[in-house]
């Protein structure tokens, strides 16, 4: 279902739940995490839902929490343990789609576009992810599914803990209108106070305020508020990755002036980039070329596309278009090509390539790994090699 493409996953009472799992005697007990090891001495990092009944919450001074719940179990925390569980959770998420945007140690957005033919509709995928997390980590995740980020985050929050909520397009107003304005992302204490002073307590009420008035009150954020109150949010899920780019470049002994030779080299380099991307399970959506002329003037050009790829054809064709905008008559001493804006592609996305091509690339990789880089070449590569060798 297209309108439910965005998922928000958020673990329940994350640090406290890890402690309760590791020490079963803490289950169903008020557990409060906060202390030296987390670098936030003196304040609560989080509290189990049992402890929250006493009014304890994140950022509260530990001394106050002790007063509210003297029999609570206070733990100073073990960051490396929480990170370990976080890594396992993100590994599960990236098994479904490369489009995972990490928000924090226990929270992420997923864009499920392109996953449906592999796993079924969004609701089914949400349930699969929730139970896989439970199975592999013994921790509860709350999941929200909606047409955009704002609503998906709201959905996961509304049914916490152990929640699973879907916000269909037709029911947006019915669900969000009664909620208080502080449920809107970005509405902090100050904005809330300003709105309440005007008698605007709920999202429904906020909807009645003209756009102009909101703009006058809050500037550009006012326009955002106007949209969010209607459940409109255009932000994309932006996956972030530590490996920034994969590229290859070559410097020629003698500068190249032949367009055909330059393109032949570009194809070889594209193939190398593609191979490394596939070897590391990356896809990317930005392509860049680097060109250095004989006078050492160096230029890089890039183009970002609306889809992710890692195949030679796409890399070469987009790179070629960029290259053709440059002056190919001047002698070129260095040429490079690369792909950036990378995402991890643990499960191969079948819709990005046709399956036959995938198999072909896999076969080429196997042959090259076994017999060397030059063991299998394209006809065009041969032309270049012949010219180079002669
Ligand atoms: P949250 O997701 O905000 O909180 P939570 O997972 O403990 O509880 P829930 O989502 O069910 O409401 O934060 C995730 C972890 O980040 C939390 O377990 C501890 C840490 N954290 C802090 O160290 N300090 C803070 O002020 C907050 C809010 C969280
Ligand atoms: Ca959480």
């Amino acid at each position: 279902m297209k309108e439910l493409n965005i998922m928000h996953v958020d673990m329940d009472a994350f640090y406290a739940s890890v402690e309760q799992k590791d020490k079963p005697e803490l289950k169903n007990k008020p557990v409060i995490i906060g202390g030296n090891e987390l670098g936030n001495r003196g304040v609560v990092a989080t509290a189990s839902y049992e402890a929250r009944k006493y009014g304890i919450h994140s950022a509260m001074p530990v001394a106050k929490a002790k007063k509210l719940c003297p029999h609570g179990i206070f733990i100073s925390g073990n960051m490396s343990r929480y990170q370990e569980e976080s890594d396992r959770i993100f590994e599960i998420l990236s098994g479904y789609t490369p489009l995972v945007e990490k928000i924090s140690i226990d929270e992420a957005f997923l864009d499920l576009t392109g996953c449906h033919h592999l796993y079924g509709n969004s609701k089914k995928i949400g349930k699969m992810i929730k139970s896989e997390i439970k199975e592999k980590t013994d921790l509860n995740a709350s999941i929200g599914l909606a047409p955009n980020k704002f609503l998906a985050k709201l959905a996961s929050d509304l049914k916490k803990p152990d929640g699973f909520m879907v916000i269909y397009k037709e029911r947006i107003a019915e669900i969000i209108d009664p909620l208080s304005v502080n449920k809107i992302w970005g509405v902090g204490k100050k904005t809330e106070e300003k709105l309440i002073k005007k008698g605007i307590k709920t999202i429904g009420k906020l909807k009645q305020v003209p756009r102009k008035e909101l703009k006058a009150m809050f500037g550009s954020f006012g326009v955002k508020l106007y949209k969010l109150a209607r459940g409109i949010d255009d932000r994309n899920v932006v996956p972030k990755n530590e490996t920034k780019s994969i590229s290859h470049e070559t410097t020629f002994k003698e500068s190249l002036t032949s367009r055909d030779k330059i393109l032949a080299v570009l194809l070889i380099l594209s193939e190398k980039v593609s191979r490394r991307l596939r070897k590391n399970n990356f896809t990317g959506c930005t392509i860049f070329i680097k060109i250095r002329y004989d006078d050492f003037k160096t230029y890089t050009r890039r183009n970002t596309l609306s889809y992710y790829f890692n195949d030679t054809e796409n890399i070469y064709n987009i790179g070629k278009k960029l290259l053709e905008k440059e002056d190919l008559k001047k002698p070129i001493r260095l040429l490079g090509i690369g792909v950036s804006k990378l995402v991890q592609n643990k499960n191969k996305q079948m819709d990005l390539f046709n399956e036959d091509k995938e198999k072909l690339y896999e076969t080429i990789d196997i042959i090259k790994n076994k017999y060397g880089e030059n063991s299998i070449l394209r006809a065009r590569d041969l032309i270049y090699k012949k010219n180079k060798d002669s």
Side-chain angles (χ1 to χ4, degrees), residues 10-14 106 160:
D10 184 14
M11 304 304 293
D12 299 329
F14 187 50
D106 79 327
K160 245 179 187 309

Side-chain angles (χ1 to χ4, degrees), residues 2-13:
K2 201 170 184 314
E3 69 262 27
L4 290 182
N5 273 3
I6 309 300
M7 177 185 294
H8 182 250
V9 187
D10 184 14
M11 304 304 293
D12 299 329

Side-chain angles (χ1 to χ4, degrees), residues 280-336:
N280 294 291
N281 280 324
F282 282 127
T283 57
C285 65
T286 294
I287 193 105
F288 58 91
I289 58 151
K290 182 172 164 188
I291 184 166
R292 178 171 296 148
Y293 292 105
D294 249 5
D295 57 6
F296 275 88
K297 281 197 174 133
T298 309
Y299 302 90
T300 50
R301 306 280 179 227
R302 63 190 62 240
N303 187 10
T304 298
L305 287 107
S306 57
Y307 55 91
Y308 287 78
F309 51 85
N310 64 8
D311 61 305
T312 309
E313 258 71 22
N314 262 309
I315 297 168
Y316 172 72
N317 286 329
I318 302 157
K320 183 174 166 230
K321 273 191 198 145
L322 288 170
L323 195 61
E324 279 172 340
K325 286 183 191 153
E326 302 305 311
D327 186 355
L328 299 185
K329 290 198 188 88
K330 270 169 53 182
I332 292 170
R333 57 178 297 127
L334 177 148
L335 185 66

Side-chain angles (χ1 to χ4, degrees), residues 241 243 245-246 272-283 310 342-346 365:
N241 205 287
T243 307
S245 66
I246 284 181
K272 282 188 177 168
V273 170
S274 168
R275 240 178 111 213
R276 248 174 76 208
L277 285 167
R278 281 178 280 131
K279 200 170 163 195
N280 294 291
N281 280 324
F282 282 127
T283 57
N310 64 8
L342 302 179
V343 295
Q344 197 84 44
N345 186 29
K346 291 227 169 80
D365 285 349

Side-chain angles (χ1 to χ4, degrees), residues 52-80:
R52 292 183 197 194
K53 286 183 200 147
Y54 297 87
I56 297 171
H57 56 76
S58 298
M60 172 184 278
V62 171
K64 187 172 175 195
K66 278 193 175 151
K67 265 188 203 150
L68 288 171
C69 183
H71 64 285
I73 298 146
F74 289 80
I75 297 175
S76 64
N78 179 352
M79 206 52 217
S80 59

Side-chain angles (χ1 to χ4, degrees), residues 52-312:
R52 292 183 197 194
K53 286 183 200 147
Y54 297 87
I56 297 171
H57 56 76
S58 298
M60 172 184 278
V62 171
K64 187 172 175 195
K66 278 193 175 151
K67 265 188 203 150
L68 288 171
C69 183
H71 64 285
I73 298 146
F74 289 80
I75 297 175
S76 64
N78 179 352
M79 206 52 217
S80 59
R81 256 308 279 134
Y82 311 146
Q83 193 55 56
E84 228 171 71
E85 292 297 340
S86 172
D87 291 346
R88 287 166 81 184
I89 293 155
F90 278 91
E91 175 121 14
I92 295 170
L93 299 180
S94 57
Y96 287 83
T97 172
L99 302 179
V100 178
E101 180 177 341
K102 184 173 182 166
I103 302 297
S104 73
I105 190 165
D106 79 327
E107 190 184 340
F109 284 106
L110 275 71
D111 185 339
L112 301 180
T113 314
C115 297
H116 299 121
H117 62 296
L118 282 174
Y119 304 107
N121 66 30
S122 295
K123 227 171 143 177
K124 205 165 155 199
I125 299 171
K127 294 243 155 101
M128 279 166 83
I129 289 179
K130 192 169 160 63
S131 49
E132 192 176 338
I133 291 176
K134 182 73 185 174
E135 221 171 84
K136 293 193 173 153
T137 70
D138 195 24
L139 295 168
N140 286 332
S142 287
I143 283 183
L145 281 164
N148 61 47
K149 282 176 149 184
F150 163 51
L151 295 171
K153 188 172 165 72
L154 200 65
S156 79
D157 189 49
L158 283 174
K159 289 278 165 75
K160 245 179 187 309
D162 205 14
F164 187 90
M165 185 176 179
V166 174
I167 299 184
Y168 291 102
K169 219 159 105 196
E170 304 72 36
R171 296 197 52 210
I172 295 173
E174 182 191 327
I175 292 167
I176 72 173
D177 282 5
L179 300 176
S180 97
V181 286
N182 66 14
K183 288 279 178 197
I184 296 180
W185 215 355
V187 173
K189 275 225 163 80
K190 275 191 185 159
T191 312
E192 189 185 3
E193 272 169 22
K194 246 176 153 178
L195 289 169
I196 288 177
K197 257 190 200 159
K198 292 225 164 205
I200 305 159
K201 282 190 186 154
T202 63
I203 297 179
K205 201 86 180 160
L206 182 63
K207 235 157 100 176
Q208 293 166 9
V209 185
R211 192 184 155 111
K212 251 190 186 168
E213 207 174 305
L214 285 174
K215 201 174 171 190
M217 273 174 89
F218 302 104
S220 63
F221 181 60
V223 181
K224 277 188 194 144
L225 274 181
Y226 180 87
K227 283 187 174 177
L228 291 170
R230 283 156 183 77
I232 301 166
D233 178 11
D234 313 316
R235 285 168 303 176
N236 287 323
V237 171
V238 187
K240 295 171 187 109
N241 205 287
E242 268 127 48
T243 307
K244 297 253 186 307
S245 66
I246 284 181
S247 63
H248 276 278
E249 61 180 46
T250 185
T251 306
F252 308 114
K253 273 190 199 140
E254 271 175 52
S255 299
L256 287 191
T257 44
S258 147
R259 187 177 173 278
D260 280 353
K261 281 188 188 171
I262 292 164
L263 291 178
V265 175
L266 188 75
L267 183 58
I268 293 171
L269 294 173
S270 302
E271 195 133 62
K272 282 188 177 168
V273 170
S274 168
R275 240 178 111 213
R276 248 174 76 208
L277 285 167
R278 281 178 280 131
K279 200 170 163 195
N280 294 291
N281 280 324
F282 282 127
T283 57
C285 65
T286 294
I287 193 105
F288 58 91
I289 58 151
K290 182 172 164 188
I291 184 166
R292 178 171 296 148
Y293 292 105
D294 249 5
D295 57 6
F296 275 88
K297 281 197 174 133
T298 309
Y299 302 90
T300 50
R301 306 280 179 227
R302 63 190 62 240
N303 187 10
T304 298
L305 287 107
S306 57
Y307 55 91
Y308 287 78
F309 51 85
N310 64 8
D311 61 305
T312 309

